[in-house]
Amino acid sequence: EKVLGEYLEIFPEDEYTLEKQITLAGKLNNIDRVLQLIEEGYEKYPHQPQYVLGMYEVENEYRKAPRKALTVLEKSYAKFFNTEIIDKLIAVYWDKGNINRVMDLLNDLQDRYPTSANHYLREAKVHNISRAYKKADAVMEKAIALAPYSSYYYGQWAEMYSQRSDMPMALKM
């Protein structure tokens, strides 16, 4: 703590020094202080994903308030675009079985990053798991068109065919 005090004397408090305080409080097992600092970070720096995600964890895991936790993420998503927040929202909605919301979020990513093959891959995987195979293949064709020389996307497509028990097509990839 002494070193952190000296550090704070040299550098003004900002989102980075607050992060260091949280880390130190965690290492000292001072849970109440960690919670207080996460809440403070969320209030002062709502655009910083580490504080939004931290607040989500506080609400979801510590306070056992999943609705409030989801509201933290949705509120951040509505105000600030951040892929870490979107990824967490996708994971939460996926776990809840809300495929429509997952697709909305993936479509938002595709609209913002139309040349990212990875976002198309993610959508294709959702379609594949949902057994919408024609949609999965159509979306994979877009991903391959964006990255035609990347074996990764062909391998992922082969894996999707394998999951469908279509080994001849999987081997073609």
Side-chain angles (χ1 to χ4, degrees), residues 154-172:
Y154 289 99
Q156 292 297 304
W157 203 358
E159 179 65 29
M160 283 186 242
Y161 277 114
S162 175
Q163 291 167 352
R164 302 174 198 175
S165 299
D166 187 346
M167 294 313 289
M169 282 302 290
L171 293 172
K172 277 186 179 179

Side-chain angles (χ1 to χ4, degrees), residues 51 88 100 127:
Y51 296 113
K88 186 64 176 181
N100 291 333
H127 288 308

Side-chain angles (χ1 to χ4, degrees), residues 1-161:
E1 282 190 65
K2 180 183 174 192
V3 173
L4 181 61
E6 291 172 7
Y7 183 85
L8 290 173
E9 285 178 20
I10 297 170
F11 299 102
E13 186 174 301
D14 61 10
E15 62 264 32
Y16 305 109
T17 56
L18 186 59
E19 211 171 340
K20 294 202 180 302
Q21 291 179 61
I22 292 169
T23 301
L24 178 61
K27 288 186 187 236
L28 296 173
N29 256 357
N30 189 343
I31 302 302
D32 291 335
R33 181 77 175 137
V34 169
L35 295 174
Q36 175 195 356
L37 291 170
I38 289 172
E39 289 174 348
E40 184 179 316
Y42 179 67
E43 291 299 318
K44 286 183 177 179
Y45 312 107
H47 59 285
Q48 291 293 333
Q50 68 267 32
Y51 296 113
V52 174
L53 295 170
M55 196 64 200
Y56 168 83
E57 293 299 329
V58 167
E59 295 296 349
N60 194 52
E61 299 298 327
Y62 185 75
R63 294 192 178 127
K64 306 293 183 200
R67 281 188 186 165
K68 194 168 183 183
L70 185 56
T71 301
V72 167
L73 294 176
E74 284 289 358
K75 181 176 159 187
S76 176
Y77 172 65
K79 285 181 137 183
F80 312 104
F81 177 78
N82 184 284
T83 56
E84 289 179 68
I85 303 303
I86 292 176
D87 287 344
K88 186 64 176 181
L89 276 167
I90 288 170
V92 169
Y93 281 119
W94 180 261
D95 290 344
K96 291 179 176 291
N98 190 338
I99 302 302
N100 291 333
R101 187 67 178 127
V102 169
M103 293 305 295
D104 289 343
L105 293 164
L106 287 171
N107 287 332
D108 184 23
L109 285 171
Q110 290 169 357
D111 290 345
R112 292 173 190 261
Y113 301 106
T115 59
S116 173
N118 195 46
H119 298 310
Y120 289 99
L121 171 64
R122 292 171 75 184
E123 179 187 351
K125 287 182 175 184
V126 171
H127 288 308
N128 200 61
I129 290 169
S130 302
R131 298 181 183 213
Y133 300 135
K134 286 184 181 181
K135 285 183 182 180
D137 290 343
V139 173
M140 276 309 296
E141 287 175 6
K142 290 179 186 177
I144 296 291
L146 289 169
Y149 303 110
S150 174
S151 64
Y152 174 74
Y153 296 101
Y154 289 99
Q156 292 297 304
W157 203 358
E159 179 65 29
M160 283 186 242
Y161 277 114

